[in-house]
């Protein structure tokens, strides 16, 4: 069985980066230089570092101490403690707000209100997710293995949240956003899709799986998941000893109203 490792370490080691074309699209047309960005829910700073590589001055806002402490020091990235609903930045202080793989964890309306507050006039918002491509055989099989091993999502919901009018309204707002038709406090919402590939050995497949918050981290359940991933590896590995996962990156861009 794979040796234990801190959650944040697996997150940074095995999570895919974001396509260069997506990063370029986020920054395209911003005339202020240097660009100052707030990366909200920054985790260990994967997206923050990619922005910094393009000369952006990044304030990485992250509530989790383990994530912040596990982040690699990086020129152009400054970590601060904070949440999407209470961002510890001045009003109209940044050119760009980003959230990589995190916006779905935030309070929908309150986070957007905060993003609107800290952005300069006509500032830009970028919300980004990497997804395994479900039209790709290997990526679909990998996703299915993780889904079957994951704890049911509703175990993390309070009873009142499972069957409430407010919960249904929030789900509807997310669906409208997801289809690119609704994002309060912002205008000119646009959606872009990019594709890329990640190549992983068996250790990487398991490490990536364990970096997902809902997958088992120890015990019989982890052993069962590792066995499934070993079967997937044996079936799909290339002669070079790697499995190819195909991704779709969804990027949503909007401007401050």
């Amino acid at each position: 069985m794979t040796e234990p490792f801190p959650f944040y370490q697996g997150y940074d080691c095995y999570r895919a980066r974001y396509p260069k074309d997506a990063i370029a699209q986020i920054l395209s047309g911003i005339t202020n230089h240097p660009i100052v960005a707030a990366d909200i829910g920054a985790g260990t700073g994967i997206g923050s570092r990619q922005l910094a590589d393009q000369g952006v001055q990044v304030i990485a806002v992250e509530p989790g101490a383990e994530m912040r402490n596990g982040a690699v020091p990086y020129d152009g990235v400054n970590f601060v403690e904070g949440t999407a609903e209470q961002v510890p930045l001045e009003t109209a202080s940044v050119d760009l707000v980003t959230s990589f793989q995190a916006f779905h964890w935030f309070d929908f309306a309150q986070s957007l209100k905060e993003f609107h507050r800290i952005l300069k006039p006509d500032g830009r918002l970028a919300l980004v997710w990497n997804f395994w491509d479900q039209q790709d055989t290997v990526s679909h099989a990998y996703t299915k293995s993780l889904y079957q091993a994951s704890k049911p999502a509703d175990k993390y919901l309070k009873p009142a949240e499972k069957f409430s009018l407010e919960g249904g309204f929030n789900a509807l707002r997310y669906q409208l956003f997801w289809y690119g038709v609704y994002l309060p406090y912002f205008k000119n919402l646009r959606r872009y899709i990019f594709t890329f590939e990640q190549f992983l050995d068996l250790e990487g497949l398991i490490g990536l799986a364990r970096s997902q918050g809902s997958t088992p981290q120890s015990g019989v359940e982890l052993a069962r998941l590792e066995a499934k991933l070993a079967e997937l590896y044996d079936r799909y590995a290339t002669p070079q000893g790697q499995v190819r996962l195909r991704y779709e990156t969804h990027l949503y861009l909007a401007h401050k109203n």
Side-chain angles (χ1 to χ4, degrees):
M1 183 182 294
T2 305
E3 290 297 317
F5 56 80
F7 172 81
Y8 62 80
Q9 180 180 325
Y11 193 98
D12 207 89
C13 287
Y14 301 113
R15 286 287 181 109
R17 275 42 182 169
Y18 299 91
K20 292 180 180 179
D21 288 347
I23 301 298
Q25 187 65 60
I26 290 171
L27 301 177
S28 176
I30 300 179
T31 56
N32 291 349
H33 291 282
I35 299 168
V36 179
D39 185 24
I40 312 296
T44 57
I46 292 173
S48 299
R49 296 195 297 268
Q50 290 189 250
L51 292 171
D53 286 341
Q54 303 305 312
V56 180
Q57 295 181 358
V58 183
I59 305 164
V61 181
E62 169 56 41
E66 279 194 343
M67 288 288 194
R68 294 194 311 273
N69 295 336
V72 178
Y74 208 79
D75 287 345
V77 178
N78 178 40
F79 269 84
V80 298
E81 181 179 1
T83 68
E85 297 77 21
Q86 291 185 310
V87 182
L89 298 177
E90 298 294 326
T91 297
S93 60
V94 299
D95 305 293
L96 171 67
V97 170
T98 61
S99 180
F100 294 88
Q101 216 77 22
F103 180 66
H104 54 285
W105 294 110
F106 307 156
D107 180 279
F108 185 83
Q110 184 58 37
S111 64
L112 291 171
K113 184 178 181 180
E114 273 290 87
F115 300 166
H116 182 274
R117 179 186 67 80
I118 66 175
L119 279 167
K120 297 176 182 178
D122 201 37
R124 182 175 300 182
L125 172 64
L127 305 174
V128 192
W129 287 268
N130 281 338
F131 295 104
W132 294 300
D133 183 357
Q134 297 307 294
Q135 302 305 310
D136 175 70
T137 300
V138 182
S139 303
H140 175 73
Y142 187 71
T143 306
K144 184 177 179 180
S145 295
L146 269 59
Y147 178 78
Q148 291 174 341
S150 296
K151 302 172 185 177
D154 65 0
K155 287 186 178 179
Y156 300 99
L157 296 178
K158 299 175 183 177
E161 293 176 328
K162 294 182 183 180
F163 306 106
S164 67
L165 180 61
E166 182 180 359
F169 181 58
N170 283 335
L172 175 60
R173 290 192 296 185
Y174 270 104
Q175 286 299 312
L176 291 173
F177 155 69
W178 196 247
Y179 288 106
V181 297
Y182 174 73
L183 196 67
Y185 303 102
F186 290 88
K187 61 185 178 181
N188 301 330
L189 177 61
R190 292 151 289 155
R191 181 175 68 171
Y192 303 86
I193 297 178
F194 305 87
T195 60
F196 71 99
E197 296 175 342
Q198 181 186 27
F199 292 85
L200 296 166
D201 58 15
L202 179 57
E203 178 183 339
L205 287 175
I206 294 171
L208 178 61
R210 294 181 65 191
S211 78
Q212 316 300 316
S214 59
T215 53
Q217 299 297 307
S218 62
V220 175
E221 293 84 2
L222 175 59
R224 188 178 298 120
L225 174 59
E226 289 182 340
K228 286 187 177 180
L229 295 181
E231 291 176 7
L232 185 147
Y233 175 83
D234 290 340
R235 186 180 309 128
Y236 295 112
T238 67
Q240 291 74 35
Q242 293 183 315
V243 168
R244 176 191 57 79
L245 297 178
R246 182 176 174 84
Y247 287 79
E248 281 192 349
T249 299
H250 290 218
L251 163 64
Y252 293 80
L253 285 179
H255 286 83
K256 178 176 177 175
N257 250 334

